[in-house]
Amino acid sequence: MGITNWGWIWTIIMPLAVILYYFFRKKYKDRPVSSTLFWQETMKEIQASPYLKKLQHHLLFYLQLAALLLCVFGLLQPYINSDTLKGNEFIFVVDTSATMLAGSPSNFDKQKEKMLELLEQTGGKPVTIVLTGQSPEVIARDQRNMETLEQAIEQLKVTYENAHMEQTLLFAETLVDNESTVIHVFTDALDRKVLANKTDLAYEVHGMEGQLRNVSIRQFGLTQTEEGMKAIVQVVNESEDSLTGAIRLSTGEFAKEAAIELKGKEEILVPFEELPEEKLWTATLDINDEYSADNEMTTFVQQPINTVFIDSSLHELVASGFRSLDLKVTSVASNQMDQRKGAPIVTNQTALANEGAPILLIGRNDAAAVEVAGQIETADHPLFTYAPLDGVYVSHLYPGFDSFETIASIDGKPFIQLSSEGDIVILADIQSTDWPLSPSFPLFLWSAANELAGSESFLGFFQPNEHRSVTLASSSGEWEIFKDGEYMHSYLEGQGPFAAPAETGVYDVKGDSQNLKMIVQLSNEEKAIAAGEDYQIGQAASKEETVRFSIMPPILIFILILLLVEWEVYRRGIALR
């Protein structure tokens, strides 16, 4: 605490004057003395402690003296110092991805505690809270009320969705009102390269130091052979320590387990053979690590694809790519493609899209391609799990479909799209790309063929909170989503894209008499955890600055209360006379 204006210290003479006045003022009081014999005794009693008796019998004096002392203290303009965060406005960007669950207590809980601590240092300045994700969410905008902000932070939950940090930070920058705004990022780890060019704003990154032990199931696949079902589970140890555990495969009442041992940074494949022919399988990892969200993975065995029908007008490289997958490729004349049913169709005839048969549309026969330049940008989608498009060159693109979902683009123009019926569209001729030279080309064709095959009882694989167009049709138009028999929420046909639940697991999608299985699982990005650090980038020179808070308002309120009490004492004294 400090004093702003010592020049008013001379006003201390006012309460001193009041004290002297009460000490020396004359006040005569009639006192009957029965006899002169008692006169000396009475005078001795009065003179023994005259000043103390005066003080004891003057409540009005105490109140006046207290009010004057507070007035003198207020004229000195007292203040208290408080350390507050640097900046006039704050934006809290909160990472709600699955990796924030790592650790015990979790990184997410630690960051919530840190947010509450920093909130106390904002000094009543406006705070905005933004949650990460494909569609960043603002849960508080320019909020000054501490209780509201604390409640919002306490209610934060992990959404399991990929953070999409770069996209979220671009969104947060649109909320900046002035140059003094500081953006605080609460995450487990954020590469400095993400903020390398953002020097015009102030960033404070709050990371989590220390590498945690983590072993994850990266891939889980099953195939049907003459001897029965076979499975392969890919397990990766990210830590430096050697760890032992077990992998357990289960379906219904059947379960099979295999012991595993992983060295530091080791990756192994665990095979399982002679499995019963069931469609829904779950692989569970039992190991002593510090991140359990990636220790379980579920897969659905779909009907295998044996044949594809390919439009004879397409380049031979398309047929060669499918033949490399050991599929039976049947070349069909363009005017006969609409008669083919029962297997995926590969063509460039847009009129066949959404006609019932699953279609892979490569190019368009109803539009002209335009020249394009730039790198391919892909969204999170199962089609790219095994087939990344990094380094693929495309020279010409056809115009996209307005009603289709874009999952890959070049320079903002659609490259790969999905129709509402599940058809896949590649908006380029194969000969106008160098894609066939990349290993990802046959892998993409394999993923596309499996995506088009589908299943009458399986809706598909989804990532947490993923929004996707799906083919659902019922007489009521309503589908209810359950997990382990518990109702989660409903989806109404035609009310926007289908939204997957946030938590991973197996869900039942029920509509009328239909029951479809749906699997929500983490992306590979959310199966790898990394250690981070705290750092600053941009205009922020320090974390804290000292701010003076005047304590005059409570002093004035207390003086007013004293005056009211003093008036009541004075009024009662007059009434008793």
Side-chain angles (χ1 to χ4, degrees):
M1 192 176 80
I3 300 297
T4 302
N5 195 348
W6 282 104
W8 288 94
I9 191 64
W10 64 268
T11 56
I12 194 67
I13 65 174
M14 291 188 294
L16 293 177
V18 172
I19 294 174
L20 292 175
Y21 169 74
Y22 270 88
F23 278 178
F24 298 106
R25 72 171 182 168
K26 292 182 178 181
K27 184 175 182 181
Y28 298 99
K29 185 177 181 181
D30 295 334
R31 181 185 293 271
V33 180
S34 58
S35 172
T36 56
L37 296 175
F38 299 111
W39 177 256
Q40 291 182 349
E41 295 296 328
T42 302
M43 292 302 297
K44 289 180 181 179
E45 182 181 351
I46 294 175
Q47 294 174 356
S49 54
Y51 303 127
L52 183 60
K53 285 185 175 294
K54 289 182 179 180
L55 291 175
Q56 289 175 344
H57 295 289
H58 289 86
L59 177 60
L60 195 61
F61 163 73
Y62 294 128
L63 294 174
Q64 291 174 345
L65 185 62
L68 282 173
L69 287 174
L70 285 176
C71 286
V72 171
F73 189 56
L75 289 173
L76 297 178
Q77 297 181 17
Y79 65 86
I80 57 175
N81 289 328
S82 176
D83 291 333
T84 65
L85 294 177
K86 186 175 181 62
N88 292 328
E89 294 184 9
F90 308 100
I91 297 178
F92 288 1
V93 176
V94 186
D95 185 351
T96 59
S97 61
T99 55
M100 295 295 289
L101 292 172
S104 180
S106 68
N107 291 339
F108 193 69
D109 290 336
K110 293 178 182 177
Q111 292 292 28
K112 286 171 64 174
E113 291 295 328
K114 187 178 293 186
M115 279 186 276
L116 292 173
E117 292 176 4
L118 294 180
L119 197 62
E120 296 178 356
Q121 302 176 27
T122 57
K125 300 172 185 176
V127 177
T128 298
I129 301 178
V130 180
L131 305 185
T132 61
Q134 180 67 34
S135 300
E137 181 183 358
V138 178
I139 62 171
R141 180 74 169 107
D142 292 338
Q143 182 61 250
R144 297 174 182 267
N145 187 288
M146 293 290 290
E147 184 178 350
T148 301
L149 289 169
E150 289 175 357
Q151 184 177 6
I153 292 174
E154 291 289 352
Q155 293 176 352
L156 290 178
K157 293 181 179 181
V158 171
T159 62
Y160 293 85
E161 184 181 358
N162 191 287
H164 299 281
M165 189 61 73
E166 294 188 39
Q167 179 176 324
T168 303
L169 291 178
L170 289 175
F171 173 78
E173 290 172 2
T174 64
L175 305 176
V176 175
D177 293 329
N178 55 68
E179 294 181 354
S180 61
T181 300
V182 181
I183 300 177
H184 290 261
V185 183
F186 300 88
T187 182
D188 47 2
L190 182 61
D191 195 335
R192 290 176 179 265
K193 295 179 181 178
V194 177
L195 303 175
N197 298 322
K198 299 180 181 294
T199 56
D200 54 334
L201 290 174
Y203 285 88
E204 296 275 355
V205 177
H206 307 273
M208 303 303 300
E209 298 182 356
Q211 184 66 44
L212 302 175
R213 295 191 312 274
N214 181 43
V215 181
S216 63
I217 300 176
R218 292 296 174 87
Q219 301 294 340
F220 173 35
L222 289 106
T223 183
Q224 191 168 8
T225 65
E226 296 179 357
E227 293 80 16
M229 300 289 293
K230 290 185 177 181
I232 294 181
V233 183
Q234 181 190 26
V235 184
V236 178
N237 182 10
E238 291 185 337
S239 61
E240 301 287 349
D241 303 329
S242 296
L243 297 171
T244 59
I247 287 286
R248 182 174 182 268
L249 258 61
S250 61
T251 176
E253 298 181 354
F254 177 85
K256 192 170 185 178
E257 189 172 294
I260 60 172
E261 182 176 355
L262 297 102
K263 298 178 181 178
K265 301 295 183 180
E266 185 181 9
E267 173 184 324
I268 63 173
L269 297 176
V270 184
F272 289 85
E273 297 183 353
E274 299 180 0
L275 301 174
E277 295 184 4
E278 297 289 341
K279 290 187 175 182
L280 192 66
W281 287 84
T282 299
T284 305
L285 176 63
D286 183 11
I287 202 164
N288 184 24
D289 65 353
E290 297 176 280
Y291 179 43
S292 60
D294 58 358
N295 290 356
E296 183 174 290
M297 190 171 182
T298 303
T299 190
F300 188 89
V301 182
Q302 302 187 58
Q303 188 68 25
I305 302 240
N306 298 320
T307 305
V308 291
F309 298 115
I310 297 182
D311 196 324
S312 59
S313 64
L314 296 180
H315 198 279
E316 177 61 24
L317 289 172
V318 178
S320 299
F322 280 105
R323 289 193 188 97
S324 67
L325 303 174
D326 291 331
L327 297 178
K328 181 182 178 182
V329 177
T330 303
S331 182
V332 182
S334 299
N335 57 359
Q336 298 178 359
M337 291 298 297
D338 57 346
Q339 303 174 9
R340 300 297 175 178
K341 305 289 184 182
I345 295 174
V346 185
T347 183
N348 64 349
Q349 300 182 48
T350 56
L352 298 180
N354 295 333
E355 290 295 329
I359 290 179
L360 172 60
L361 198 67
I362 301 180
R364 295 182 62 169
N365 65 342
D366 62 344
V370 296
E371 190 173 353
V372 69
Q375 295 182 344
I376 299 176
E377 297 181 359
T378 60
D380 288 328
H381 195 275
L383 282 175
F384 307 124
T385 301
Y386 305 101
L389 302 185
D390 300 336
V392 174
Y393 170 75
V394 179
S395 62
H396 290 77
L397 282 181
Y398 290 97
F401 295 87
D402 294 336
S403 59
F404 288 10
E405 176 189 1
T406 299
I407 59 174
S409 61
I410 301 176
D411 196 23
K413 299 180 178 62
F415 173 45
I416 299 178
Q417 293 185 305
L418 299 177
S419 73
S420 58
E421 299 295 329
D423 297 334
I424 301 173
V425 180
I426 301 175
L427 295 166
D429 296 320
I430 293 300
Q431 58 268 30
S432 65
T433 76
D434 64 353
W435 199 2
L437 302 177
S438 171
S440 67
F441 181 64
L443 293 174
F444 179 86
L445 295 181
W446 176 79
S447 299
N450 283 278
E451 184 83 9
L452 293 173
S455 174
E456 294 182 356
S457 60
F458 184 59
L459 186 59
F461 294 94
F462 291 79
Q463 293 182 11
N465 292 319
E466 180 181 356
H467 288 63
R468 188 195 303 177
S469 298
V470 296
T471 305
L472 289 174
S474 64
S475 58
S476 64
E478 181 179 3
W479 295 81
E480 296 180 334
I481 300 174
F482 294 82
K483 184 180 183 183
D484 299 329
E486 181 181 353
Y487 171 79
M488 306 300 294
H489 62 271
S490 296
Y491 167 70
L492 298 177
E493 298 173 18
Q495 301 295 317
F498 181 83
E503 294 188 16
T504 57
V506 181
Y507 292 82
D508 292 302
V509 183
K510 299 180 180 181
D512 297 340
S513 59
Q514 294 179 277
N515 187 1
L516 306 178
K517 293 291 185 182
M518 176 180 67
I519 297 176
V520 179
Q521 58 189 12
L522 298 178
S523 64
N524 281 338
E525 291 85 351
E526 293 305 308
K527 296 180 180 180
I529 60 176
E533 60 177 344
D534 295 351
Y535 61 90
Q536 307 171 26
I537 285 182
Q539 297 179 357
S542 62
K543 269 192 174 183
E544 298 177 352
E545 60 181 2
T546 301
V547 176
R548 291 183 176 182
F549 290 94
S550 174
I551 58 176
M552 277 298 297
I555 291 177
L556 293 175
I557 294 175
F558 197 50
I559 291 174
L560 180 61
I561 294 174
L562 287 177
L563 291 177
L564 293 175
V565 174
E566 184 181 337
W567 167 252
E568 180 64 17
V569 171
Y570 178 72
R571 185 185 66 80
R572 287 176 179 269
I574 294 178
L576 294 175
R577 289 180 182 176

